[in-house]
Amino acid sequence: MDRPARLDRLLPFLVLTVFLDLVGFGIILPLLPSYASDMGGTAETVGVLLASFAAAQLLATPLLGRASDRHGRRSVIVISLGANVVAMLLFALAASRHALWLLFASRMLAGATSGNIGACQAAIADVATGPERARAMGKLGAGIGLGMMLGPWIGGRASKLGEAAPPLFAAAMALVALVGVLVFMKETNPAVLGRAGRDGRETAPRGAVSFAALAANPLIAAVGALYFMTFLYMTTLQTALALLAAQRFHWTKDHVGDLFGLFGLVTLIVQSALVGPIAQRVAPVHLVRGAGLLAAAALACIAFSPVSAVMLVGLVLMATALGLTQPLLASLASQYAGEAQQGAVLGLAQSSGSLARAIGPLLWGAIYQHVSPTAAFLGGSVAALGASAVTLRLRETDAATKPTPE
């Protein structure tokens, strides 16, 4: 079967898989600050809680990426979804017992096994190239956006059924996705498929190189830096937006769920309808640069919002910026990876984002609590400007590595 036909058959299923998984993630993410606060935590505790997930993800994601290169995308997705079911059940237990340590254990387990999105992106890279890859990454991002749109809305309503209800709903979503992968998904990794029918020995994929060698590649290093800066400014929302909405505008949990639902809706529209057509006309690096500038303006808007309507405008602008950025980052990372290193490169890139997710919540939580809410969002705005600046280096690096015409 040729690549376009394989992509057409595979993509809807991958989109459904990340959609179900991100519905679960979206259910609990906006409510995490409220859960931590109910258990006696502060804004700094929220930062540490989010950072614990990211720290575990930072250590595990490159290994999961390499495992998907060696053993296949399907097996990594199965492990990630199965562990997420267990993590959400731990979350429900923590909520019912008001046990902060169990909440931390749940988030760390989820972070240590969160390799499914990277594996889905690598599966797309296995069967798509060029503009089709960017389009497919955009569709995958739309599945993520739809999940992040519906998840917070479901979580806000489920919270009225009891404290354990949101994570139990999240566990159910991950379980449905797991069953779908086990029943329907076929392997896409060419190295694993190439070993089928041979002697069955597990060997490293041809062309596999060390993580150090990958990180030394200037293109991959530049994309990693771009991932870091992007996720650094993105964590401002995860850490401080729910707190700001409650403190400044007296919004409740269900209203905060609606707020993140709006964010997911805008992201969905951008990724499903705009990324593909725009990527055919504008270079991805230029798009990511412009999105960083837009995100900087959006966070400044939220920082100084005197009324909730201004905060909503900033949120819509931020969702537009991230809707453009996220699928293009994955497309850039896979573009610079060789066929045998798709999972490893995407894993390293995701790990750079995880490092930002570990640092960002601690940073923004401390600034929010000890300086001011406004300062936390202004810090995120500065980080967004930094992401735009990194694209200049990426452009220079890209030009420097191209052969010079004779």
Side-chain angles (χ1 to χ4, degrees):
M1 186 183 299
D2 60 8
R3 285 195 170 199
R6 291 178 66 196
L7 179 63
D8 289 342
R9 293 186 61 177
L10 179 69
L11 186 58
F13 177 75
L14 292 178
V15 171
L16 180 62
T17 299
V18 297
F19 163 71
L20 290 171
D21 189 38
L22 267 294
V23 166
F25 185 72
I27 285 173
I28 57 96
L29 181 63
L31 304 179
L32 274 176
S34 299
Y35 276 108
S37 178
D38 292 344
M39 296 177 191
T42 65
E44 285 184 296
T45 306
V46 174
V48 175
L49 180 63
L50 293 171
S52 67
F53 173 93
Q57 189 180 51
L58 168 67
L59 297 175
T61 303
L63 300 178
L64 291 171
R66 178 54 59 84
S68 79
D69 286 335
R70 181 184 293 270
H71 304 295
R73 319 304 183 197
R74 183 177 181 275
S75 60
V76 169
I77 295 172
V78 166
I79 291 171
S80 296
L81 291 173
N84 196 31
V85 173
V86 176
M88 290 302 102
L89 293 176
L90 280 177
F91 193 126
L93 184 62
S96 62
R97 296 190 176 184
H98 283 248
L100 191 59
W101 71 271
L102 270 178
L103 188 60
F104 271 90
S106 165
R107 300 315 297 149
M108 291 177 71
L109 174 60
T113 54
S114 59
N116 54 318
I117 292 179
C120 287
Q121 290 172 339
I124 288 174
D126 289 336
V127 299
T129 59
E132 281 301 301
R133 180 179 294 175
R135 180 189 67 82
M137 292 292 187
K139 297 296 184 184
L140 190 73
I144 294 172
L146 183 58
M148 289 298 292
M149 178 190 72
L150 294 179
W153 185 86
I154 294 172
R157 272 69 192 165
S159 65
K160 297 179 179 180
L161 303 177
E163 293 182 328
L168 288 177
F169 271 80
M173 294 297 100
L175 181 60
V176 171
L178 173 61
V179 172
V181 171
L182 288 171
V183 174
F184 298 111
M185 183 174 180
K186 295 183 179 180
E187 184 54 57
T188 62
N189 186 339
V192 174
L193 293 173
R195 291 198 298 269
R198 298 185 200 168
D199 57 10
R201 290 177 297 173
E202 291 292 341
T203 57
R206 179 178 294 182
V209 297
S210 68
F211 287 126
L214 289 175
N217 182 313
L219 290 172
I220 294 173
V223 171
L226 186 55
Y227 261 83
F228 176 83
M229 297 304 298
T230 299
F231 281 88
L232 185 63
Y233 72 73
M234 187 174 69
T235 56
T236 313
L237 291 184
Q238 298 171 358
T239 306
L241 185 61
L243 299 173
L244 178 75
Q247 178 181 329
R248 190 176 290 180
F249 305 118
H250 310 291
W251 285 24
T252 60
K253 286 182 181 179
D254 56 332
H255 291 136
V256 170
D258 291 341
L259 188 65
F260 278 87
L262 173 64
F263 180 90
L265 174 62
V266 176
T267 302
L268 167 67
I269 293 171
V270 171
Q271 292 182 333
S272 60
L274 298 181
V275 169
I278 294 176
Q280 292 180 344
R281 295 171 174 82
V282 183
V285 170
H286 298 315
L287 275 178
V288 173
R289 182 179 308 140
L293 296 174
L294 181 61
L299 289 167
C301 186
I302 295 172
F304 293 112
S305 55
V307 294
S308 59
V310 177
M311 178 183 68
L312 290 174
V313 170
L315 186 73
V316 169
L317 293 176
M318 183 69 168
T320 301
L322 287 174
L324 289 169
T325 300
Q326 289 177 317
L328 293 174
L329 287 180
S331 181
L332 284 172
S334 64
Q335 174 184 331
Y336 300 140
E339 186 176 90
Q341 289 92 40
Q342 291 290 341
V345 170
L346 285 163
L348 277 176
Q350 293 286 346
S351 184
S352 298
S354 299
L355 178 60
R357 283 175 167 166
I359 295 172
L362 297 174
L363 177 62
W364 309 135
I367 293 175
Y368 188 102
Q369 182 168 336
H370 297 296
V371 182
S372 71
T374 298
F377 285 95
L378 287 180
S381 183
V382 172
L385 292 175
S388 287
V390 170
T391 64
L392 296 174
R393 174 59 183 161
L394 182 63
R395 176 182 164 192
E396 292 167 5
T397 303
D398 194 9
T401 56
K402 289 179 180 178
T404 304
E406 295 294 339

